[in-house]
Amino acid sequence: MKGGDVELGALLAAAEAAPPGESVDVVAHDLQKRFGAARVSFLFVDLVGQRLVRLTAPGADVADSDEPMDLQGSVYDRVLRSQRQLVEPDGQGGRRVITPVTNRGDCIGVLEVTLQSVDDTVLRQVRDAAHALAYIIVTDRRFTDLYHLGRRTTETSLAAEIQHQLLPSAPCCEAAQFTLAAGLVPADDIGGDTYDYTLDRDTLHLSVTDAMGHDTNSALLATLLVGALRRARRSGCDALMQADHAHQALLRHSRGLATGQLLCVDLETGLCELVNAGHPRPLLLRDGTVEEVALSVNLPFGVVAPTPYRLQELRLRPGDRLVLLTDGMQERGAAAVDLAALIRETRLLHPREAVRSLTAAVLEACHGNLRDDATVLILDWHGARRRATER
């Protein structure tokens, strides 16, 4: 079968038959059998987004394979940013092929393969194998801590461990109508901020929240808050009812407060319904201009006897970029960062790269010492698209 097309069914069956921590081994064996690949490894970014961790298939001769390496400025960084396959000499007469491993816009890592020779057909099939590996890892990481363990290149606080379990498993999502990405810093010591999203048949649901307090106390409050929001959302509640459920949960089960921004975006019309519970207003990039969205602000969740939450509307237009953030992005130490200017400067970047630029700028301005968590979620609205059944 050497040089033949990837038999996806056989590859997935082999992955399912193997232990969940051996996904890379399955793909490596497939590439070795078909193309005589000398070395195969999978590299993924650590929790704080600064280093790469390599998983190497058994028998591979890769020096220092267990040592994390710097991401910034590396060839792997270029591949992740561009999402394009890269081919270069391996220094021994062969070719090194580095291919992004991505699922619906979520950059899981890169697949690195060393081959004696390549052509367009081989390169296409390596891309197919990387695509299959993305689905395999998304499935297998539910059953193993291998990928979670590998991402911990720095000590992670208990609060951060709790917080990361509240976040979506993918920080980025691409769909016909939109692209979104989110990030929060410091990733290994957060304790209060969350973002969340889910996509159903007709609506995109978004939230950014900030539970008051520090360390595990804020993480536990955030757990209660996110649980209440998800329970309401999964019961079919709109943003207004979600806000009420979250507020009641904090009143009944804690003495804490939390701010939040809840959004429901109609995928057909771009009409966005919002509730602002004491949270910083979103920033909207439209036609080259960045402006704060003029929203009325309700009191935070958990404040006794607030005025009723108000449902407000914003109609998104194709080409809009909506930026949601927490107050950590605007803290005193980050005042040197002109967020509006930076949003304009990064307007041509994919949302995941724009998020990276914004959080890095805030971290740099604060010399790496944020007093509070900083979270940003970017939504690019492309416009309504016909469903496949309507084409």
Side-chain angles (χ1 to χ4, degrees):
M1 184 179 164
K2 186 176 180 180
D5 290 338
V6 173
E7 292 189 1
L8 184 58
L11 184 58
L12 294 177
E16 187 172 17
E22 297 182 6
S23 303
V24 175
D25 303 352
V26 170
V27 174
H29 177 72
D30 176 76
L31 293 172
Q32 289 163 352
K33 181 176 66 173
R34 292 188 298 117
F35 306 120
R39 291 187 291 273
V40 181
S41 57
F42 169 66
L43 298 95
F44 55 100
V45 183
D46 73 351
L47 191 66
V48 297
Q50 296 179 355
R51 295 180 179 179
L52 277 168
V53 179
R54 184 191 299 271
L55 291 181
T56 306
D61 181 18
V62 180
D64 300 324
S65 60
D66 293 333
E67 293 298 321
M69 63 190 80
D70 290 338
L71 173 66
Q72 186 71 29
S74 69
V75 64
Y76 307 106
D77 195 15
R78 297 207 317 264
V79 171
L80 286 170
R81 286 179 180 274
S82 68
Q83 286 295 290
R84 293 182 179 178
Q85 188 178 57
L86 182 143
V87 183
E88 64 180 13
D90 71 345
Q92 299 179 1
R95 309 293 285 178
R96 183 167 70 146
V97 181
I98 304 173
T99 308
V101 177
T102 302
N103 176 249
R104 293 187 183 273
D106 178 27
C107 293
I108 300 170
V110 297
L111 177 67
E112 184 176 30
V113 182
T114 301
L115 302 167
Q116 284 302 307
S117 62
V118 298
D119 57 25
D120 290 344
T121 299
V122 170
L123 293 177
R124 175 178 58 81
Q125 291 177 47
V126 172
R127 290 195 296 271
D128 290 343
H131 192 204
L133 179 60
Y135 280 91
I136 292 168
I137 291 176
V138 166
T139 300
D140 281 357
R141 65 187 176 189
R142 297 179 300 163
F143 308 111
T144 177
D145 274 345
L146 176 66
Y147 303 103
H148 296 289
L149 178 63
R151 296 188 70 200
R152 268 71 171 165
T153 59
T154 59
E155 184 177 355
T156 303
S157 69
L158 175 59
E161 193 68 53
I162 295 171
Q163 289 287 109
H164 280 287
Q165 301 313 304
L166 302 177
L167 303 178
S169 60
C172 180
C173 179
E174 294 177 348
Q177 301 92 339
F178 68 88
T179 301
L180 69 83
L184 69 173
V185 290
D188 55 353
D189 194 27
I190 53 175
D193 282 14
T194 73
Y195 65 85
D196 199 12
Y197 71 87
T198 190
L199 178 65
D200 60 29
R201 187 176 295 273
D202 302 308
T203 307
L204 170 65
H205 300 265
L206 300 170
S207 71
V208 174
T209 62
D210 182 0
M212 301 295 102
H214 301 282
D215 301 324
T216 54
N217 288 332
S218 59
L220 294 173
L221 181 59
T223 301
L224 177 62
L225 176 64
V226 172
L229 288 171
R230 287 177 175 167
R231 177 175 178 268
R233 187 186 73 207
R234 292 164 181 170
S235 298
C237 295
D238 63 9
L240 190 61
M241 290 300 296
Q242 291 176 38
D244 185 65
H245 278 265
H247 172 62
Q248 294 300 326
L250 265 59
L251 287 179
R252 293 170 184 166
H253 303 290
S254 81
R255 295 181 180 178
L257 307 177
T259 68
Q261 195 102 240
L262 312 180
L263 299 84
C264 294
V265 184
D266 188 299
L267 296 177
E268 289 297 317
T269 66
L271 180 63
C272 178
E273 296 184 336
L274 308 90
V275 172
N276 186 324
H279 204 75
R281 294 180 176 92
L283 300 174
L284 177 65
L285 172 62
R286 174 177 288 172
D287 298 329
T289 301
V290 177
E291 293 184 347
E292 191 175 75
V293 179
L295 294 177
S296 299
V297 180
N298 283 114
L299 292 174
F301 303 123
V303 175
V304 177
T307 57
Y309 290 106
R310 178 181 174 185
L311 193 66
Q312 302 173 77
E313 293 185 350
L314 169 68
R315 187 171 293 277
L316 297 174
R317 303 175 187 170
D320 281 354
R321 170 167 285 186
L322 187 65
V323 181
L324 311 179
L325 40 79
T326 60
D327 58 8
M329 293 291 294
Q330 301 172 319
E331 72 168 50
R332 184 171 57 187
V337 179
D338 187 337
L339 285 178
L342 191 53
I343 289 169
R344 286 193 300 271
E345 292 170 7
T346 58
R347 65 187 182 279
L348 299 181
L349 296 181
H350 189 285
R352 63 174 167 257
E353 297 305 324
V355 164
R356 186 174 169 182
S357 295
L358 265 63
T359 54
V362 168
L363 270 178
E364 182 179 357
C366 297
H367 307 288
N369 296 312
L370 284 169
R371 294 183 304 169
D372 197 3
D373 307 342
T375 300
V376 60
L377 185 153
I378 295 179
L379 171 69
D380 279 1
W381 181 251
H382 309 315
R385 299 288 190 274
R386 291 181 300 165
R387 296 192 181 97
T389 54
E390 297 173 346
R391 295 172 185 164

